């Protein structure tokens, strides 16, 4: 709801800003291109304001550091304004994320690519995004998780094809700010290892997890260890019977959601 209200406010302001032709990084046409018999569709240069390195904003909405490219049927990440902080490119036809797509945009704080058809992401595609806090790759066709930025707070990869063997042992270990992991509706057969101490919520429902260990969430060699921040673990819809592993939750403040009896 918050994002919807924010987008509405931005969009309402867009017409006003365009009329004033402020220097806000937008590409603004004085009037639409016209076609005549002599020019064959080539617009007169006097009819267009100076382009300011933002070709994407002709097809998308660019406002105050945010780029909205939703349901535009684009097949790759578009060129972005250099000061882009928030990218919303949901429900398109993007198939691949390359290492070059975000290499020149260290100001990015949020990327939402939900609802595309992404099958492949270059291993270092997000490596240079030192400020990125929120990344959503939900509802795609991913089979593995790439290297994630160190300051990430929220990672959403719900509804993909990710398997446990495709998640590196230390994929989340060094992400000391990571608080939210969403991996529901994938093909995991185990809980990702080495979950960070910063974790507050992890969603693993509707996977193929069959068992857990005393070290999955806790530390079997430290009976005093507590995960004081982790207060939501969802594992319903998995074959695992949680009641068989009572020592796996002794460090948690609340029990995981899931099946405890057959």
């Amino acid at each position: 709801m918050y994002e919807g209200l924010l987008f509405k406010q931005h969009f309402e302001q867009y017409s006003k800003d365009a009329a004033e032709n402020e220097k806000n990084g937008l590409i603004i046409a004085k009037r639409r291109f016209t076609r005549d018999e002599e020019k064959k569709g080539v617009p007169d240069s006097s009819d267009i304001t100076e382009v300011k390195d933002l070709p994407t904003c002709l097809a998308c909405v660019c406002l105050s550091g945010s780029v909205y490219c939703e349901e535009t049927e684009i097949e790759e990440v578009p060129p972005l304004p250099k000061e882009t902080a928030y990218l919303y490119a949901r429900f398109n036809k993007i198939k691949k994320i390359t290492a070059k797509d975000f290499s020149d945009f260290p100001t990015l704080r949020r990327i939402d690519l939900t609802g595309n058809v992404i099958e492949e992401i270059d291993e270092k595609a997000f490596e240079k995004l030192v400020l990125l806090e929120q990344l959503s790759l939900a509802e795609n066709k991913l089979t593995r998780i790439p290297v994630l930025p160190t300051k990430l707070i929220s990672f959403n990869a719900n509804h993909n094809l990710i398997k446990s063997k495709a998640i590196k042992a230390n994929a989340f270990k060094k992400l000391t700010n990571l608080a939210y992991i969403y991996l529901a509706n994938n093909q995991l057969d185990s809980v990702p290892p080495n979950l960070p101490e910063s974790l507050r919520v992890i969603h693993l429902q509707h996977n193929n997890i069959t068992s857990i260990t005393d070290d999955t969430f806790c530390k079997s060699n430290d009976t005093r260890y507590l995960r004081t921040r982790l207060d939501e673990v969802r594992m319903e819809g998995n074959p695992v019977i949680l009641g068989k592993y009572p020592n796996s939750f002794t460090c948690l403040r609340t029990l995981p959601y899931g099946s405890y009896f057959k």
Side-chain angles (χ1 to χ4, degrees):
M1 292 177 63
Y2 174 76
E3 291 178 6
L5 290 172
L6 180 62
F7 177 79
K8 183 175 182 293
Q9 293 172 359
H10 278 176
F11 194 78
E12 289 175 347
Q13 186 67 25
Y14 177 70
S15 297
K16 180 180 178 181
D17 292 345
E20 296 175 356
N21 195 15
E22 295 178 349
K23 296 182 180 180
N24 57 3
L26 296 174
I27 295 179
I28 307 170
K30 292 181 179 178
R31 59 185 177 88
R32 292 186 178 277
F33 294 174
T34 58
R35 180 185 299 273
D36 57 41
E37 295 181 357
E38 295 181 357
K39 297 183 180 179
K40 300 296 182 182
V42 179
D44 191 320
S45 59
S46 63
D47 292 337
I48 310 171
T49 59
E50 181 181 358
V51 175
K52 196 177 180 181
D53 296 328
L54 303 181
T56 297
C57 297
L58 291 173
C60 307
V61 177
C62 303
L63 296 165
S64 303
S66 298
V67 177
Y68 299 89
C69 281
E70 301 184 324
E71 299 184 79
T72 57
E73 298 191 354
I74 54 176
E75 296 183 359
E76 58 186 17
V77 176
L80 301 173
K82 292 183 178 181
E83 302 302 321
T84 300
Y86 305 93
L87 171 63
Y88 301 90
R90 297 178 288 197
F91 309 110
N92 288 295
K93 297 181 179 180
I94 299 173
K95 300 178 181 179
K96 180 180 179 179
I97 306 299
T98 71
K100 295 181 179 180
D101 287 338
F102 301 115
S103 61
D104 296 325
F105 304 100
T107 55
L108 277 166
R109 292 182 177 273
R110 180 171 188 173
I111 298 175
D112 193 340
L113 297 169
T114 299
N116 281 275
V117 289
I118 301 171
E119 297 180 355
E120 182 180 355
I121 298 179
D122 286 353
E123 186 67 8
K124 297 182 178 181
F126 307 114
E127 183 180 45
K128 295 183 179 181
L129 302 182
V130 295
L131 298 180
L132 193 70
E133 296 178 343
Q134 300 179 39
L135 175 62
S136 179
L137 302 170
E139 299 178 43
N140 279 283
K141 297 182 179 181
L142 293 173
T143 57
R144 66 179 184 86
I145 295 175
V147 175
L148 299 174
T150 56
K151 290 191 176 182
L152 203 64
I153 295 175
S154 176
F155 175 66
N156 188 343
N158 285 341
H159 293 274
N160 276 280
L161 305 171
I162 300 170
K163 297 182 178 181
S164 292
K165 63 181 181 181
I167 301 178
K168 294 182 178 181
N170 295 324
F172 302 114
K173 185 177 182 179
K174 296 181 180 180
L175 306 184
T176 57
N177 293 326
L178 189 61
Y180 305 92
I181 299 176
Y182 302 101
L183 290 169
N185 295 89
N186 276 280
Q187 298 178 6
L188 304 179
D189 54 28
S190 63
V191 177
N194 297 316
L195 297 173
E197 296 294 326
S198 55
L199 194 62
R200 295 181 58 188
V201 173
I202 182 168
H203 286 190
L204 299 165
Q205 62 268 38
H206 303 293
N207 278 283
N208 299 318
I209 299 172
T210 56
S211 65
I212 54 178
T213 72
D214 292 353
D215 293 309
T216 298
F217 300 107
C218 304
K219 295 180 179 179
S220 58
N221 60 352
D222 186 355
T223 57
R224 296 184 177 181
Y225 172 73
L226 294 175
R227 275 192 178 269
T228 57
R229 297 183 181 181
L230 186 57
D231 54 17
E232 182 175 312
V233 179
R234 293 189 58 179
M235 297 186 67
E236 66 269 28
N238 283 281
V240 62
I241 303 301
L242 299 178
K244 293 182 178 181
Y245 309 94
N247 294 329
S248 299
F249 317 120
T250 55
C251 66
L252 302 181
R253 298 195 304 174
T254 59
L255 290 174
Y257 293 88
S259 300
Y260 285 83
F261 306 98
K262 289 186 178 180

